[in-house]
């Protein structure tokens, strides 16, 4: 990674040492590609609203990044509020259904399966309770209306519990890497790690003052693309001045308006949580699904191989069904305006002329475009846009519609 354009010099080697292991994200569905891609790349791409600007010692961007990299918070508990506004169309519940399907909750699956449940974080506003005591004990609870979903890791056991359906999902940490690595980002730290992994010489990284978040003094790290054509405006990460842990992550789109992602602690403590926090016993009468039995009758390898930000490194095999075995994706351009492209081997998406009622529905979600490449449909959110040509090629990225058309024309 090349040096940042910042208030200090940051070398590629220094930042490479700070990169964390990648975590796989929620899997996605094509032809409504943009919805799943939005979930899978939500961590790639912020304005802090907390009051108070504490007077802290001056720090450079490089020093702040190093402080984040050295942060080793092992014990904490707190509440996180996460709001996501991708600008998806109102589909009357279809969005949630697609997100659940994208995460691999097939027939015979469990509503308590983490790969399905946590994908809900890709839309709307949610409140999470989080707790951790070292690498072997973590708990995340998603609070819902009169219900709660909990994901508990205690030693070798990983438990998911959906109180609404009274269903339990059980796996083991050693055999269940997806529970820790295939989840979409859920905390400010998760989002910040993804944003820094995306930074290169196309990125400006500076310290933009201070803030107070959840009663803690923090520095604000500002990450901005230097390129045109990207839909990403800016990312702000509030970094705890004492521990170096990210406390808040906010992403604003280039087009302005409300944040696309706003995730931050509203309360946090770095005291050791009570041991009982991580205890779990399936409630009486609960349906328990063991991981080895989950998803029988469904395609459990759907979308396998995707990581957060995966379109930069993973892709689909030509000739396979939409959304299956996406291995071989190519990347056009670099940095924030890069575009992932692949050939589905299909015939594009159904249109109103050839797809009947379903084709008309698809037409209502996307915009028809034409160019040297022929014609196709662009599906858009406030962050991720995807062009699917009528001959089955897909172009997707955090770029404008015009940039997608230009890339498709260049491919001819």
């Amino acid at each position: 990674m090349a040096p940042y354009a910042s208030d200090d010099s940051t070398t590629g080697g220094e930042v490479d040492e700070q990169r964390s292991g990648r975590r796989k994200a929620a899997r996605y569905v094509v032809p409504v590609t943009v919805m799943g891609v939005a979930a899978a790349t939500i961590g790639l791409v912020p304005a802090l609203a907390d009051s108070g600007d504490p007077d802290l010692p001056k720090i450079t961007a490089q020093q702040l990044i190093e402080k984040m990299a050295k942060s080793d918070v092992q014990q904490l508990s707190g509440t996180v509020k996460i709001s996501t506004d991708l600008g998806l169309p109102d589909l009357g519940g279809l969005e949630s259904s697609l997100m659940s399907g994208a995460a691999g909750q097939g027939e015979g699956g469990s509503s308590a399966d983490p790969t399905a449940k946590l994908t809900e974080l890709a839309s709307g506003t949610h409140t999470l309770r989080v707790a951790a005591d070292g690498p072997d004990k973590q708990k995340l609870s998603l609070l819902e209306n009169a219900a709660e979903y909990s994901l508990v890791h205690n030693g070798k056991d990983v438990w998911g519990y959906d109180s609404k359906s009274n269903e339990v999902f059980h796996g083991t940490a050693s055999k269940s890497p997806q529970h820790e690595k295939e989840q979409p980002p859920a905390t400010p730290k998760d989002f910040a790690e993804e944003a820094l992994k995306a930074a290169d010489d196309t990125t400006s990284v500076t310290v933009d003052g201070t803030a107070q978040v959840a009663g803690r003094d923090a520095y604000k790290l500002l990450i901005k693309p230097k390129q045109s054509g990207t839909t990403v405006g800016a990312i702000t990460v509030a970094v705890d001045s004492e521990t170096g842990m990210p406390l808040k992550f906010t992403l604003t789109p280039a087009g302005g308006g409300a944040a696309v992602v706003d995730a931050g602690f509203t309360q946090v403590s770095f005291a050791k949580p009570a041991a009982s926090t991580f205890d779990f016993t399936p409630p009486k009468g609960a349906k328990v699904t063991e991981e080895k039995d989950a998803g029988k009758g469904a395609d459990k390898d759907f979308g396998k191989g995707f990581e957060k930000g995966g379109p930069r490194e993973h892709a689909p095999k030509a000739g396979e069904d939409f959304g299956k075995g996406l291995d071989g994706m190519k990347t056009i351009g670099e940095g924030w305006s890069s575009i992932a492209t692949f050939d589905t081997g299909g015939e594009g998406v159904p249109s109103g002329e050839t797809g009947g009622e379903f084709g008309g529905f698809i037409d209502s979600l996307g915009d028809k475009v034409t160019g040297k490449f022929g014609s196709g449909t662009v599906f858009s959110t406030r962050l991720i846009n995807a062009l699917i040509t009528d001959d089955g090629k897909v172009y997707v990225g955090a770029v404008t519609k015009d940039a997608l058309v230009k890339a498709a024309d260049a491919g001819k």
Side-chain angles (χ1 to χ4, degrees), residues 23-29 32-45 82 84 86 88 95-96 98-103 115-116 118-123 182-186 191 194 260-261 306-311 381 383-384 396:
R23 300 178 182 172
K24 297 180 183 176
R27 306 157 189 181
Y28 64 74
V29 175
V32 195
T33 315
V34 66
M35 294 183 180
V37 171
T41 62
I42 197 173
L44 284 180
V45 210
I82 175 171
T84 309
L86 292 169
L88 297 177
E95 174 188 336
S96 297
L98 285 169
M99 289 299 187
S100 295
T115 52
L118 294 186
T119 311
E120 295 178 10
L121 298 179
S123 63
E182 290 182 6
Q183 300 167 15
F191 286 109
E194 291 304 318
V260 173
V261 180
F306 267 84
E307 299 182 343
K308 287 187 285 190
T381 71
L383 183 63
I384 303 296
V396 61

Side-chain angles (χ1 to χ4, degrees), residues 120-376:
E120 295 178 10
L121 298 179
S123 63
T125 298
H126 304 275
T127 299
L128 307 174
R129 283 202 301 257
V130 297
D133 184 8
D136 296 325
K137 292 184 178 182
Q138 298 97 30
K139 181 176 182 179
L140 183 151
S141 297
L142 173 59
L143 308 183
E144 301 172 312
N145 292 331
E148 181 175 324
Y149 174 79
S150 293
L151 178 62
V152 181
H153 172 208
N154 192 344
K156 67 180 180 62
D157 292 306
V158 177
W159 297 95
Y161 176 59
D162 185 357
S163 68
K164 185 176 182 179
S165 63
N166 199 28
E167 291 192 20
V168 174
F169 185 92
H170 178 236
T172 56
S174 60
K175 297 180 180 179
S176 307
Q178 67 269 30
H179 297 310
E180 296 180 15
K181 296 181 180 179
E182 290 182 6
Q183 300 167 15
T187 67
K189 181 180 179 181
D190 293 335
F191 286 109
E193 287 176 349
E194 291 304 318
L196 287 175
K197 282 190 288 189
D200 56 18
D201 60 352
T202 66
T203 308
S204 167
V205 182
T206 57
V207 177
D208 188 33
T210 64
Q212 192 167 76
V213 179
R216 306 278 303 185
D217 291 346
Y219 293 100
K220 294 191 294 184
L221 186 69
L222 180 63
I223 304 170
K224 296 184 68 173
K226 295 193 296 183
Q227 299 167 301
S228 61
T230 177
T231 55
V232 181
I235 295 170
T236 303
V237 182
V239 182
D240 186 67
S241 62
E242 181 180 346
T243 66
M245 191 183 83
L247 297 174
K248 189 168 184 178
F249 174 101
T250 310
L251 179 160
T252 52
V260 173
V261 180
D262 189 16
F265 282 94
T266 58
Q267 181 276 326
V268 66
S269 168
F270 297 110
K272 179 183 177 70
S276 59
T277 302
F278 310 101
D279 292 339
F280 182 82
T281 300
K284 184 177 180 180
K287 175 187 174 183
V288 180
T289 301
E290 293 292 335
E291 182 182 26
K292 65 180 184 298
D293 299 324
K296 286 187 175 179
D299 180 6
K300 295 302 288 182
D301 288 330
F302 179 84
K304 186 176 181 181
F306 267 84
E307 299 182 343
K308 287 187 285 190
R312 293 174 181 262
E313 299 183 7
H314 300 280
K317 294 177 181 177
E320 292 194 354
D321 292 340
F322 274 118
K324 292 184 179 180
L326 302 181
D327 297 323
M329 187 178 287
K330 297 179 181 179
T331 301
I332 301 172
E334 62 178 355
W336 299 93
S337 60
S338 63
I339 297 171
T341 180
F342 58 88
D343 190 340
T344 67
E347 298 180 355
V349 297
S351 67
E353 300 176 354
T354 62
E357 293 183 1
F358 181 72
F361 173 71
I362 292 295
D363 282 348
S364 71
L365 297 179
D367 297 322
K368 298 296 289 186
V369 293
T370 59
K372 296 178 182 178
F373 66 89
S375 59

